[in-house]
């Protein structure tokens, strides 16, 4: 009999991780604090409760990165995905579920598994030393005692309690006949930033749009969200005075537009991932509604056709600086017996949290069995997401991220006849390549004798 693994948190990630461990023949204790102690967002004591929308987003595996992630999770034997399929409700191209049936079925599967014990208790601090292998999957609303414990392991600066997210766009959607590469006063490499120029009229129209744009209100329990001076929402800065941004994040100093006259203001974008496929709008964290963000930010010259890998936001959210504190298989570098899973790693969304739970469970299972399991290729959705939280994202600007094709290494830009591959054809290239590259990794997953992954 192998040792017991402790999984803390019975949300989407913890439930998936516990399932993957038990499938591999490993005994698991799953610790869930509800109903003894609840979070401000959960309403029930069910495992894998969906705290808000009942949608797991697009189920289109050809042209959409989250649909591709669904498919890869199904192929990996995910409990969350197969249960979602069984409790699906009509939702067009999306995978939406009957939330109560979904949570009840996951809870039953875990309760019925002979290798899983569920304990309703809070783990209120660092797990005891004699728990040799632990997965912490306590989510965006991790209990304060566990958050404090994580802070002691990761360090003060590596645990966030709020996200303050600036929009991120794909580099390939930026119009470089308007935008140009340059750092202020040519510092660094001289071309570390992408700059978008605004004339005086464009700037004032932009400021007015920010001030009048429709904003998201905080939940009651989020109302004490602090605005740090260093990361004020862009619209709050704009409300302080029409010139504030022109003297702040949009100041045009130290920059020369090679394509036109001296700009009145500039929007700067900074590289957001190691691949250089994503750029964030520097200083543009915002609580504008998503539709408003797309409308207003596409009025910036150079971003008219911008494809947003993620839109901005400000929420309560507990997460570590993954690229700084996690190793390639999601262990805390400072205490490798502790592995993280779910949103606390800095991924974002139900599906992504469950996917990171799946990977954490599989890595931990392999390690417990004394076997090796390498990360999936970065060309797959699972691999791209994992790479983002464990090193692909930039540690200095790390913010939670949904899966999107911007996290994948770009496929060739042209076909064999030299024709540019664009739009849907390009998305299909990503998904076809991912499909092929996942197969060898699936075959490498160590499994219990009578529980082989679907494709092995
Ligand atoms: C208000 C809100 C709305 C959201 N809406 C959406 C949405 O609509 N769509 C979407 O895709 N994503 C949404 N998310 C983001 C996120 O994907 C979900 O929160 C998702 O549930 C995260 O999965 P998880 O397993 O990491 O955390 P959770 O599902 O939150 O699970 C964590 C579990 O750990 C338990 N726990 C915490 N601390 C302890 C402890 N010390 N000991 C024992 N148990 C503990 C909690 O009770 C909880 O059950 C939302 C997040 C929030 C906060």
């Amino acid at each position: 009999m192998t040792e017991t693994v402790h999984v803390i948190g019975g949300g989407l990630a913890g439930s998936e991780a516990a399932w993957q461990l038990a499938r591999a023949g490993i005994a698991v204790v799953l610790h869930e604090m509800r109903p003894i102690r609840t979070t401000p967002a959960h309403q029930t004591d069910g495992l894998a409760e969906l705290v808000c929308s009942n949608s797991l987003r697009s189920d289109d595996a050809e042209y959409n990165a989250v649909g591709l992630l669904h498919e890869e999770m199904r192929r990996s034997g995910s409990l969350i995905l197969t249960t979602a399929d069984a409790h699906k409700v009509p939702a067009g191209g999306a995978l939406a579920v009957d939330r109560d049936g979904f949570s009840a079925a996951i809870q039953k599967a875990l309760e019925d598994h002979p290798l899983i014990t569920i304990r309703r208790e809070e783990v209120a601090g660092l797990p005891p030393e004699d728990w040799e292998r632990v997965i912490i999957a306590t989510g965006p609303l991790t209990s304060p005692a566990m958050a404090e414990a994580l802070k002691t392991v990761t360090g003060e600066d590596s645990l966030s309690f709020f996200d303050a997210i600036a929009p991120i766009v794909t580099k390939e959607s930026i119009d470089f006949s308007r935008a140009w590469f340059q750092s202020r006063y040519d510092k660094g490499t001289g071309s570390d930033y992408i700059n978008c120029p605004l004339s005086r009229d464009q700037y004032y129209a932009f400021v007015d749009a920010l001030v009048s744009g429709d904003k998201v209100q905080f939940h009651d329990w989020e109302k004490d969200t602090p605005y740090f001076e260093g990361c004020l929402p862009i619209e709050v800065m704009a409300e302080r005075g029409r010139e504030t941004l022109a003297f702040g994040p949009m100041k045009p100093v130290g920059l020369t537009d090679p394509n036109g006259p001296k700009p009145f203001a500039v929007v700067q974008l900074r590289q957001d991932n190691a691949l250089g496929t994503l750029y964030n709008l520097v200083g543009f964290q915002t609580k504008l509604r998503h539709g408003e963000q797309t409308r207003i930010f596409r009025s910036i010259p150079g971003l008219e056709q911008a494809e947003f890998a993620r839109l901005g936001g400000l929420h309560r959210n507990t997460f570590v600086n993954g690229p700084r504190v996690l190793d390639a298989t999601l262990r805390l570098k400072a205490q490798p017996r502790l592995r993280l899973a779910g949103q606390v790693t800095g991924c974002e969304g139900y599906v992504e949290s469950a996917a990171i739970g799946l990977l954490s469970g599989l890595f931990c299972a392999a390690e417990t069995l004394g076997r090796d399991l390498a990360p999936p290729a970065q060309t797959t959705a699972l691999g791209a997401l994992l790479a983002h939280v464990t090193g692909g994202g930039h540690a200095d600007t790390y913010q939670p991220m949904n899966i999107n094709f911007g996290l994948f290494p770009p496929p060739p830009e042209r076909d064999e006849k030299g024709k540019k591959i664009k739009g849907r054809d390009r998305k299909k290239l990503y998904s076809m390549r991912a499909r092929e590259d996942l197969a060898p990794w699936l075959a490498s997953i160590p499994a219990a004798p009578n529980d082989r992954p679907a494709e092995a």
Side-chain angles (χ1 to χ4, degrees), residues 22-208:
R23 268 184 80 189
I26 294 160
V28 182
V29 179
L30 176 60
H31 307 258
E32 168 51 55
M33 70 176 183
R34 289 173 294 121
I36 313 296
R37 182 185 182 120
T38 192
T39 79
H42 287 85
Q43 304 286 325
T44 75
D45 59 10
L47 299 182
E49 176 184 332
L50 300 176
V51 285
C52 186
S53 154
N54 67 332
S55 171
L56 274 61
R57 318 206 306 280
S58 170
D59 203 26
D60 175 354
E62 298 292 324
Y63 300 107
N64 188 294
V66 76
L68 179 63
L69 186 58
H70 289 173
E71 181 186 277
E72 293 187 4
M73 291 172 74
R74 289 187 186 104
R75 289 171 67 190
S76 312
S78 157
L79 174 67
I80 296 292
L81 251 291
T82 47
T83 311
D85 288 337
H87 291 270
K88 190 174 162 152
V89 296
L95 174 59
V97 301
D98 165 352
R99 67 177 73 235
D100 294 331
F102 168 77
S103 161
I106 286 168
Q107 179 155 322
K108 181 159 178 9
L110 296 172
E111 282 171 348
D112 289 353
H113 200 295
L115 286 173
I116 299 177
T117 308
I118 300 171
R119 287 205 197 131
R120 298 292 185 157
E121 63 188 11
E122 178 188 0
V123 179
L126 267 192
E129 289 293 334
D130 60 347
W131 294 6
E132 278 178 42
R133 274 182 239 281
V134 181
I135 294 183
I136 301 175
T138 45
L141 304 170
T142 291
S143 74
M146 177 57 79
E148 223 21 68
L150 279 174
K151 199 157 76 177
T152 59
V153 181
T154 59
E156 184 84 29
D157 295 342
S158 292
L159 186 77
S160 302
F161 292 94
F162 298 91
D163 51 36
I165 299 165
I168 294 172
V169 300
T170 60
K171 181 182 160 204
E172 62 183 16
S173 67
I174 299 171
D175 175 3
F176 284 99
S177 67
R178 311 293 297 274
W180 78 101
F181 276 99
Q182 189 186 7
S183 343
R184 273 187 218 288
Y185 303 109
D186 299 318
K187 286 188 180 156
T189 66
S191 58
D192 291 347
Y193 289 79
I194 295 173
N195 303 283
C196 298
L198 284 87
S199 66
R200 175 187 293 270
D201 288 351
Q202 286 167 331
Y203 170 79
Y204 286 121
F206 181 70
V207 168
D208 292 345

